[in-house]
Structures are given as structure tokens and as C-alpha cells.
Amino acid sequence: KASYIYANNGVEIGKYFDEIRDPVRLEEVPKRLQDAFIAAEDKRFYNHSGIDPQAIASAIVGNTTHKLGFKFWARSGGASTITQQLARLLCADEVSDFKNRAQTYGRKLKEARLAIQLEKRYSKQEILEAYLNIIWLGNGANGVVAGARRYWGKDIRKEQLTIREAAILASINKF
């Protein structure tokens, strides 16, 4: 819900809200935008069943070597798949205290379990569509439609985002 601000003459001069969300079907999301999110978040999205063992192993090695001080080899990072991120967003209460999103092994195990369940029940297209509709993209924008509108004033259903804009939108979640 939004709160509207009006001038003395009755003209709307502002609107305040907690979040903007405008759902979209996957077919309406430009392919380059879908590809940008997959490249940024989960490059093996179509080849795993909710968890990515290769990314998990890489994150464990990178995080461990980083903690041990081996900066030349260390890569500190996460291993969450798009499906795991969706599980966290949909089931925040079950996975973790949303206000305290500490990366614990317990939280990661819950995410993995829920991600596997999601993959058994829904197609990759349904998972990607849900993710693209609820992902937080900053400044009150939830989902790719709201994000494109917020940052470039574009409706992804009508206008093709440039490759640059798609890549930037996909990378916002990384910050």
C-alpha cells in the first residue's frame, strides 16, 4: 500500500511505500534479462536439482583459505542457487530470523532441503519466474519489472533492456 501526498490544489506530488511489486510471467521477461540473472546468480541453474555441489565445494575452499590468510587463492563467496535464494525468500521464518541473516551451516542446510523440495514440485521455469518476481533490487523495488522501472523508467514488457541494463539489474542483488 502506498501513502499519497497532495498539494493544496489536489494534485498528487508524491507517493511513499515500503515496496513496489509488479508480477510478470516468465515469457514476458526478455531472454537477455533471464540470462543475466542466471549468469550472475547461478550459472548451472538448469543442471542441478536445487543445490550446486560444485559451487558449495568452491565456496568452502575459498572461505576456508580466506580465513587462513591465503589471499592469493582465497575467494570468499556463497554457493546459494537461485532455488535456494527463492526458498529463503519464500520461507524466511522457517529458514532464519530474517532480521539476522547470518550465514550459518544450519540455515544453509534448511535452504538446501527446501530448495530440493521446490525443485521436485516446480519446473525450472516456474522457479525462475517466482525468483524474478520477488527478488529485492533495492530502493523498494521487488522483482525485475519494478527494478527496471525504478532504475531506467522502462517497462520490460514493452521495451528491451540493453545488455548493460540487464547486467546491472542482475548484479544489484550482489551488493
Side-chain angles (χ1 to χ4, degrees):
K1 285 188 161 182
S3 296
Y4 297 89
I5 309 298
Y6 296 95
N8 287 340
N9 64 0
V11 174
E12 180 185 325
I13 59 172
K15 184 175 7 178
Y16 294 92
F17 40 83
D18 288 336
E19 77 179 36
I20 307 166
R21 186 182 311 270
D22 187 359
V24 65
R25 292 188 323 271
L26 189 61
E27 307 86 62
E28 297 174 292
V29 178
K31 182 82 167 93
R32 67 174 46 161
L33 186 55
Q34 294 177 40
D35 292 345
F37 271 89
I38 290 170
E41 297 293 338
D42 186 0
K43 63 186 172 194
R44 288 180 288 277
F45 175 68
Y46 289 107
N47 300 316
H48 61 66
S49 60
I51 59 171
D52 184 349
Q54 187 176 344
I56 293 169
S58 176
I60 290 171
V61 169
N63 291 335
T64 301
T65 55
H66 179 75
K67 286 179 183 175
L68 294 174
F70 298 109
K71 305 294 185 205
F72 62 90
W73 189 31
R75 177 184 109 12
S76 182
S80 289
T81 65
I82 284 174
T83 314
Q84 284 176 279
Q85 292 178 51
L86 180 61
R88 181 182 332 126
L89 293 166
L90 291 174
C91 305
D93 291 338
E94 184 175 339
V95 174
S96 66
D97 174 2
F98 200 68
K99 293 177 185 170
N100 180 18
R101 289 185 37 184
Q103 290 190 2
T104 64
Y105 290 117
R107 189 195 93 192
K108 288 291 186 185
L109 288 172
K110 288 178 183 178
E111 281 177 18
R113 180 179 53 79
L114 291 169
I116 291 167
Q117 291 174 355
L118 285 171
E119 292 267 350
K120 287 180 181 178
R121 179 169 281 190
Y122 301 101
S123 70
K124 290 288 189 177
Q125 291 73 26
E126 290 171 315
I127 290 167
L128 184 58
E129 180 179 297
Y131 176 80
L132 293 174
N133 274 303
I134 67 173
I135 187 67
W136 181 77
L137 294 171
N139 292 311
N142 287 77
V144 294
V145 172
R149 189 175 301 126
R150 167 64 90 193
Y151 297 110
W152 295 284
K154 293 185 177 182
D155 183 344
I156 65 169
R157 295 177 188 104
K158 297 177 184 172
E159 298 179 49
Q160 190 78 352
L161 292 178
T162 67
I163 291 172
R164 178 184 151 277
E165 290 166 339
I168 290 170
L169 200 58
S171 69
I172 289 172
N173 190 38
K174 295 286 188 192
F175 298 107

